[in-house]
Amino acid sequence: MKVHDYEKAFLITGGIVLALCAAALAYTTLGLGMHLPGHVGHIDPAKVYQTAPFNAPGVRKVAEGKYEVVMVAQAWAFMPAEIRVPRDAEVTIIATSTDVIHGLEIERTRVNMMLIPGQIGRITHTFREPGEHLLICHEYCGTGHHMMYGKVIVE
Ligand code: CUA
């Protein structure tokens, strides 16, 4: 079978790009430990405030250097809207939504997840430098979407 030179070049280029993408994926997942935020459970969105741990949103120290943040998103606020954690602490955010799909993104970090009513999301991050980070909802959730933000203060 005769394969045209241009076709051969196209196939080789395609193969190289595919191999590079697979290598980048393997490196970021296995080498850098980047993963999608996990969906760790289901919850009745109508009973979020009656269901543990969401009946007590806030920041809790769970061990030396380890903190847990329980967060509820609802149109158009995060609860709590302000999080204070010490630097170098491993912070696990456990969050859900009571109404529509919201987003949770902390600027200048890899914390970025979708908060879906009925699902519980979890993500862990270590804040290495003191300072303030804006925490925003990045899924359009209605007329007050642009006012839905909070902050993370690393002390
Ligand atoms: Cu909540 Cu946009």
Side-chain angles (χ1 to χ4, degrees):
M1 186 177 80
K2 166 93 177 96
V3 180
H4 194 278
D5 284 347
Y6 287 153
E7 199 170 1
K8 214 181 274 173
F10 182 84
L11 287 172
I12 290 167
T13 311
I16 291 169
V17 169
L18 204 60
L20 287 176
C21 288
L25 187 66
Y27 174 65
T28 51
T29 335
L30 306 171
L32 301 179
M34 288 185 188
H35 300 286
L36 285 174
H39 286 294
V40 291
H42 294 268
I43 187 171
D44 180 348
K47 295 191 181 126
V48 168
Y49 290 110
Q50 288 86 53
T51 311
F54 300 102
N55 54 354
V59 186
R60 251 180 297 285
K61 187 174 181 175
V62 288
E64 205 46 59
K66 286 193 179 187
Y67 288 76
E68 193 178 272
V69 177
V70 173
M71 187 168 255
V72 178
Q74 85 180 78
W76 290 283
F78 289 104
M79 248 213 359
E82 190 181 294
I83 297 168
R84 279 174 187 274
V85 289
R87 73 182 277 194
D88 291 333
E90 190 185 289
V91 181
T92 299
I93 299 171
I94 301 163
T96 192
S97 162
T98 62
D99 41 30
V100 296
I101 293 177
H102 295 282
L104 194 167
E105 182 179 357
I106 300 174
E107 59 157 3
R108 291 180 282 118
T109 70
R110 292 205 306 256
V111 176
N112 180 333
M113 64 179 161
M114 223 185 204
L115 303 177
I116 301 165
Q119 292 193 10
I120 300 169
R122 181 207 298 258
I123 193 164
T124 298
H125 184 74
T126 302
F127 295 89
R128 295 284 176 206
E129 299 195 349
E132 263 187 43
H133 296 266
L134 195 61
L135 178 161
I136 58 161
C137 173
H138 66 310
E139 293 286 341
Y140 182 72
C141 56
T143 51
H145 165 69
H146 62 288
M147 298 184 308
M148 189 165 170
Y149 63 90
K151 61 181 165 181
V152 178
I153 300 165
V154 185
E155 297 173 322

